[in-house]
Amino acid sequence: IEEGEDGLLYNSMPIYGPDGKLRANYRKVHLSRVMAITSESDVLAAGSRPVTFEMPDTHATPDPHDPQSVSVGMACCFDLRFPVFLARYGPRVEAPVHCICAPSAFLDLTGKDHWDLLLRRTALDGQCYVIAPDIAFDSADATPLHGRAAVIDPFGTVLAQCNAQGDGIAIADLSVSRVAEVRAKLPLTLWNE
């Protein structure tokens, strides 16, 4: 949680570079509103824009045509339900991202039916990877969360996924060339929608 210069509180995700300097700060745009429980929108202000940042590609070749960085777009939890917002990161924009990172605290109530579907749809629509950490399920929680952190590839394939309960890490290799391959084989930019 971050207090903005306007005195309001935001669900924020600061992004720091390897040098420890703040590179970007994403303020969650779509605050959850779930009936029967206190929701984010009861206490927090909404952000207003998508945020991207560049991360050095440690596997890049010296070839000048090989991207030297990975472009990452930020989203958070409830943002995954808004494909028009997520399209700002996709292949139809001037500078599409290679990956969307969407840390979440997804409710188990809806996560059972929606989590995997939303992650895969986001990857397919954006033709990019989706990295989605999520808080683990605990039956003792008053409002249980879903867990099942995951990494999805640009073709919608689940590359790695944690169990619902307990600590875990979903690890997968990401490839800028895989993003380019999927976008070339299924060129969504040919349609003006």
Side-chain angles (χ1 to χ4, degrees):
I1 303 295
E2 167 213 11
E3 183 176 357
E5 293 174 4
D6 54 10
L8 299 174
L9 298 177
Y10 296 89
N11 183 345
S12 300
M13 292 174 278
I15 297 99
Y16 292 92
D19 58 2
K21 293 182 181 174
L22 182 67
R23 296 286 173 90
N25 185 35
Y26 175 70
R27 290 176 171 171
K28 185 176 179 182
V29 173
H30 300 95
L31 301 176
S32 65
R33 162 69 46 203
V34 180
M35 301 317 211
I37 64 171
T38 300
S39 296
E40 287 177 305
S41 57
D42 293 333
V43 293
L44 301 173
S48 60
R49 61 184 179 82
V51 169
T52 62
F53 66 96
E54 298 292 318
M55 184 174 64
D57 184 352
T58 57
H59 299 293
T61 68
D63 180 345
H65 300 295
D66 188 10
Q68 300 300 302
S69 64
V70 175
S71 178
V72 180
M74 296 300 296
C76 182
C77 201
F78 207 63
D79 289 331
L80 292 169
R81 295 187 178 279
F82 296 88
V84 172
F85 170 75
L86 296 168
R88 297 176 186 174
Y89 296 127
R92 291 186 187 90
V93 299
E94 184 177 325
V97 300
H98 301 110
C99 174
I100 294 173
C101 183
S104 299
F106 220 84
L107 297 176
D108 192 49
L109 176 71
T110 56
K112 292 174 187 175
D113 295 320
H114 302 172
W115 177 248
D116 287 355
L117 179 64
L118 289 170
L119 297 182
R120 294 181 74 201
R121 194 237 30 243
T122 299
L124 287 167
D125 288 352
Q127 294 183 311
C128 63
Y129 288 92
V130 173
I131 299 173
D134 195 21
I135 297 173
F137 175 83
D138 184 342
S139 60
D141 287 345
T143 305
L145 300 172
H146 185 61
R148 302 184 54 77
V151 179
I152 316 295
D153 92 341
F155 209 66
T157 303
V158 178
L159 298 178
Q161 190 162 39
C162 295
N163 292 324
Q165 290 184 291
D167 296 333
I169 300 174
I171 298 174
D173 290 326
L174 279 61
S175 165
V176 171
S177 61
R178 174 68 174 148
V179 174
E181 173 191 349
V182 169
R183 289 177 178 168
K185 286 183 178 179
L186 190 60
L188 297 180
T189 55
L190 296 178
W191 288 269
N192 294 323
E193 292 185 17

